[in-house]
Amino acid sequence: MTLDNNKSLIKWAICIVLPLIIFFLPETALFTSAFKGFLAVTLLGILMLAFELVPNMVSAIIFPVGYAILNIAPLPTVLGSWTSTTPFVVLCGFWLAVILIRIKLLDRVICIIATKFASSFFGIAVTIYLAGVIAAFITFGGHQMLILAFAFGACQAMNLKPGPEATVLMMSALYACIYAQIFSYYPGVLGLLNGAIIAVAPDKAITWMDNLLLGLPMFFVGIIGIFILCKVFGRSIKSADIKETYTLKLQELGAMSSDEKKAIVIVGALFIFLITSKLHGIATDFGIIITPLLFYLPGINIGKQEDVGKINFDMVFLILGCMAIGAAGGYIGLGDILSAYVVPLLGDSGAIGLIAFVFFFCAIFNLLLTPFAIYAAFSAAFAQIAFSMGINPAVIMITMIIAGDTIFLPYEHNSGLMSYAFGMMSMKDFFKASLVRGGIQTIALLAIMIPYWHISGILYL
């Protein structure tokens, strides 16, 4: 038997034994039959995700079906997310990203930005960050691999070897992948978190514009973080300029195609629709849903049949499956159970105490679980605690995203793994740069975001 097989068996043993131990614990006033069953099913699915033993869709099925089989919550309750706009928003967000990447519009955007700003080492790092942020807005979060590849290409253009300077550029791309989640609309993440908000305060669900207003300061924090990284890790670079490289790439792309021009008009129309949602009163979800369909209309003809096959359906199902965790938790009163223990710990610390607690709680758990697993497991309970304290649950959801993005090792986040996989960073350099970034995020949350939310009237219900 190989070492890999032994590791796999150990992981499977953990996945099965721990839930069984919880399920067969003696019942108490707290550990009711429903609560034990909920914890056992949730732990089984999350451990399978964490250990990557099975496709994501397996966990997506385990959550709702397990809750229903053990009579923890009715099947219509745990499958409630399927009757909302969430599955279509997530699906169409991925779909739009696939189309825009295929027609090379995002490649052109990256090259244009690089020819404008990439005339110094800091300029190159900021170029990567800005290109990533723009790509995040355009693709609704489907830009990670593209922008990481751009950062790797910048390292190659500068003939950088794996080391501190290359770490800065790859980390700048990671900033764009991670920070953009805080202020740009990621349907996958917000579909899950909005489910938790809607359960307690439907009018506080995070729209595209709300997301921008809630997280906007973190865009500037990202730039500050990159500046600090450049000063700490990029001091050996005296001069740098990759404009010529991307000028040539822009020339290779040639004149803007008619497909790209049509895509700009369609995406531009979508952003106008999103920004003016207060005027027309139509839910912004419908704009995201309809947009990729427009690419297939006669006279436009940009969309292709193969685009549908490239959609990440596995992730779509996982998001909806994880939403069953919040639905089942709400059904058995998980929020009330956690409130009984958490609220007394906070004392009179109010919103600041809750935000700090949620941040550090999720950041610590991120060492054991993926951010998405944390959102799935705890978002509904934290939203209910916030509501009971008169705090806007949307603020707590953004805090969870910031905490989930406070990573120190590559395995904690998919984007971290992808950035590390390019081989331009040692584990030591990744950790040191992440430690700096983690400190910046913690200070930004406590010293910038909380005052910003308070002054702008967002903090409380």
Side-chain angles (χ1 to χ4, degrees):
M1 187 174 289
T2 66
L3 181 61
D4 285 341
N5 285 336
N6 284 331
K7 288 181 178 179
S8 179
L9 287 175
I10 292 171
K11 290 176 180 179
W12 271 112
I14 293 172
C15 285
I16 294 170
V17 173
L18 287 183
L20 284 175
I21 290 174
I22 290 175
F23 186 74
F24 287 108
L25 284 174
E27 290 187 28
T28 65
L30 171 63
F31 265 65
T32 62
S33 175
F35 187 36
K36 290 192 304 175
F38 171 79
L39 291 178
V41 172
T42 303
L43 187 59
L44 173 62
I46 286 178
L47 286 175
M48 284 184 171
L49 285 175
F51 290 145
E52 298 181 339
L53 292 170
V54 294
N56 290 336
M57 196 174 293
V58 174
S59 291
I61 294 172
I62 283 175
F63 291 130
V65 172
Y67 299 141
I69 289 174
L70 295 180
N71 292 319
I72 295 162
L75 196 59
T77 297
V78 293
L79 293 180
S81 60
W82 288 93
T83 63
S84 68
T85 57
T86 300
F88 298 102
V89 170
V90 175
L91 179 72
C92 292
F94 286 134
W95 196 355
L96 179 61
V98 167
I99 294 172
L100 294 179
I101 290 172
R102 176 179 54 77
I103 66 174
K104 302 292 185 181
L105 178 59
L106 295 184
D107 288 323
R108 187 177 300 278
V109 169
I110 287 171
C111 289
I112 290 173
I113 295 174
T115 59
K116 301 295 183 184
F117 298 101
S119 56
S120 67
F121 186 64
F122 175 64
I124 293 168
V126 170
T127 294
I128 294 169
Y129 176 70
L130 292 177
V133 169
I134 292 171
F137 274 101
I138 294 174
T139 64
F140 295 95
H143 67 299
Q144 285 93 339
M145 185 54 71
L146 182 73
I147 203 63
L148 289 169
F150 172 43
F152 178 74
C155 291
Q156 299 296 101
M158 295 176 62
N159 294 316
L160 292 179
K161 303 298 182 184
E165 292 77 22
T167 298
V168 172
L169 298 190
M170 296 306 298
M171 275 289 170
S172 298
L174 189 56
Y175 265 74
C177 295
I178 285 180
Y179 270 78
Q181 295 186 62
I182 303 169
F183 50 80
S184 71
Y185 195 93
Y186 277 37
V189 172
L190 286 179
L192 178 62
L193 298 182
N194 268 337
I197 297 172
I198 291 170
V200 295
D203 61 320
K204 296 298 181 181
I206 302 173
T207 65
W208 183 88
M209 182 58 74
D210 293 332
N211 198 178
L212 180 61
L213 294 175
L214 280 163
L216 185 58
M218 292 303 288
F219 166 76
F220 302 101
V221 171
I223 295 177
I224 294 170
I226 290 170
F227 177 77
I228 294 172
L229 283 178
C230 287
K231 291 298 182 182
V232 174
F233 298 102
R235 288 174 292 183
S236 67
I237 301 290
K238 301 302 180 183
S239 63
D241 191 342
I242 58 172
K243 280 187 176 182
E244 184 177 350
T245 299
Y246 287 93
T247 298
L248 291 174
K249 288 190 176 183
L250 190 59
Q251 291 173 354
E252 290 174 7
L253 288 173
M256 185 176 290
S257 67
S258 61
D259 283 354
E260 290 176 86
K261 292 176 182 177
K262 292 173 186 176
I264 290 173
V265 173
I266 292 172
V267 173
L270 171 60
F271 284 125
I272 293 173
F273 174 84
L274 296 172
I275 292 168
T276 59
S277 61
K278 300 292 184 183
L279 297 177
H280 54 67
I282 303 173
T284 54
D285 283 359
F286 292 113
I288 299 171
I289 292 168
I290 291 173
T291 297
L293 310 183
L294 299 178
F295 286 83
Y296 292 83
L297 292 178
I300 298 178
N301 295 323
I302 298 175
K304 293 186 177 181
Q305 182 66 36
E306 55 263 33
D307 294 331
V308 178
K310 295 178 181 178
I311 296 172
N312 192 347
F313 289 99
D314 197 42
M315 184 57 68
V316 175
F317 276 86
L318 176 62
I319 290 164
L320 295 168
C322 286
M323 290 181 73
I325 300 175
Y331 186 83
I332 67 170
L334 179 61
D336 293 330
I337 295 171
L338 282 183
S339 293
Y341 289 88
V342 172
V343 174
L345 287 175
L346 299 177
D348 297 326
S349 58
I352 295 175
L354 179 60
I355 290 171
F357 175 84
V358 169
F359 175 76
F360 288 110
F361 178 92
C362 294
I364 292 170
F365 260 85
N366 209 28
L367 295 169
L368 303 174
L369 302 174
T370 64
F372 198 82
I374 293 170
Y375 306 153
F378 301 110
S379 59
F382 283 143
Q384 187 169 336
I385 292 171
F387 182 77
S388 69
M389 296 175 66
I391 299 167
N392 185 354
V395 166
I396 300 303
M397 298 302 103
I398 295 298
T399 300
M400 291 187 73
I401 294 176
I402 296 173
D405 293 341
T406 304
I407 65 172
F408 300 100
L409 295 169
Y411 76 88
E412 296 179 55
H413 198 289
N414 285 341
S415 296
L417 280 173
M418 289 190 290
S419 65
Y420 184 72
F422 278 91
M424 300 305 293
M425 300 180 281
S426 67
M427 186 64 73
K428 178 182 177 182
D429 285 340
F430 186 100
F431 177 75
K432 287 166 62 178
S434 295
L435 199 62
V436 171
R437 186 172 56 80
I440 293 169
Q441 286 184 231
T442 304
I443 293 170
L445 174 66
L446 300 177
I448 298 175
M449 296 304 290
I450 293 177
Y452 165 74
W453 289 329
H454 183 71
I455 293 171
S456 59
I458 298 173
L459 188 56
Y460 296 100
L461 292 171

